[in-house]
Amino acid sequence: MTKNRLLILTALKAEASPFIQHYKLRKKEFIESKPLYYSGAITLLITGIGNTNVQNTLQNYCNQQQIKQHDFIVNIGVAGGSADIGKIGDLFLIKKIISKTGGPAYYSNLLFKHGMNETSLTTVNNPVVDGNETYDGLVDMEALEIWNILKSIIPNDRFIFLKVISDYMDNKCLNIKSFEKKATKYLTYQLNPIRNLLNILQE
């Protein structure tokens, strides 16, 4: 039986590492020294942080590789949240994505049961570190742009957005190495439920 193809998208190598190791993904030079990783029906692409990086990376990928409407697009990463939503390290499946500046919104339309906690997500242009703003759900910098770029190819029921709370958006002195280490740690901790969901998608 042929497995469904998955395109896993992460913003950082630190977010990708647990899946590269678990699935034994092989590295292939992509474009502008950006690698992609693959094995069988799974491809993983690191987009970089923010809308501009997502646009450049995905557009280059679409120019070189054919994305089919039956593929699953799985965005996995860490996100800012609040203590009202959950604990640091908690995993959520995103049911809605909006932009802080308005515009089209993504609404999940999954056709199977998953048993995961759900919440909404706001995609912002700049890191939120002052802890003063209130958002409906979690906050990231890439998810909505991923959907915007690929929504003309992929139907909504084949987009999956998985986010783990990495911080409470109150770290004004952000150390990128420390942040990346935590991102890898939290996603490694949640590897089993994410892997179980990816198995469902592949079947």
Side-chain angles (χ1 to χ4, degrees):
M1 180 178 175
T2 302
K3 291 187 175 183
N4 290 320
R5 296 198 314 175
L6 307 183
L7 175 58
I8 299 174
L9 302 173
T10 69
L12 300 168
K13 173 72 178 294
E15 296 168 322
S17 293
F19 306 98
I20 293 170
Q21 294 175 16
H22 176 75
Y23 290 106
K24 297 180 173 59
L25 303 182
R26 298 185 295 278
K27 182 178 179 180
K28 176 182 177 182
E29 289 305 318
F30 169 42
I31 193 168
E32 296 176 356
S33 300
K34 287 186 177 180
L36 61 80
Y37 299 83
Y38 67 97
S39 178
I42 296 178
T43 299
L44 187 149
L45 184 61
I46 300 169
T47 64
I49 298 172
N51 289 350
T52 300
N53 281 319
V54 169
Q55 290 168 10
N56 292 338
T57 304
L58 281 184
Q59 286 168 2
N60 283 325
Y61 182 81
C62 290
N63 289 339
Q64 295 187 32
Q65 309 286 333
Q66 184 180 13
I67 296 180
K68 300 179 180 179
Q69 66 176 7
H70 295 302
D71 295 348
F72 280 99
I73 307 299
V74 188
N75 174 222
I76 304 174
V78 295
S82 71
D84 294 335
I85 301 295
K87 302 187 301 294
I88 301 294
D90 281 356
L91 172 67
F92 292 89
L93 188 143
I94 302 303
K95 62 182 180 181
K96 172 186 175 183
I97 309 173
I98 62 171
S99 169
K100 184 180 178 182
T101 57
Y106 159 84
Y107 294 89
S108 175
N109 185 29
L110 295 185
L111 302 179
F112 58 89
K113 294 181 179 180
H114 52 78
M116 289 185 171
N117 291 325
E118 295 184 348
T119 191
S120 57
L121 178 74
T122 301
T123 294
V124 298
N125 293 327
N126 298 297
V128 182
V129 295
D130 57 15
N132 293 328
E133 296 188 65
T134 301
Y135 293 90
D136 180 17
L138 305 181
V139 174
D140 89 330
M141 296 178 63
E142 296 83 27
L144 192 63
E145 190 63 24
I146 290 170
W147 176 72
N148 278 327
I149 292 171
L150 298 178
K151 66 183 179 182
S152 63
I153 306 172
I154 305 294
N156 266 21
D157 62 292
R158 293 199 168 242
F159 282 95
I160 310 291
F161 296 92
L162 300 171
K163 300 292 177 177
V164 172
I165 299 178
S166 59
D167 60 90
Y168 289 144
M169 300 182 288
D170 55 0
N171 190 353
K172 293 181 180 179
C173 300
L174 186 64
N175 181 301
I176 188 63
K177 287 189 177 181
S178 174
F179 177 79
E180 289 180 344
K181 189 173 181 180
K182 289 179 180 179
T184 300
K185 173 185 173 182
Y186 300 145
L187 286 166
T188 299
Y189 177 75
Q190 295 290 358
L191 183 60
N192 280 342
I194 294 175
R195 181 193 62 188
N196 291 340
L197 178 60
L198 297 183
N199 288 343
I200 291 172
L201 300 181
Q202 284 201 293
E203 300 300 329

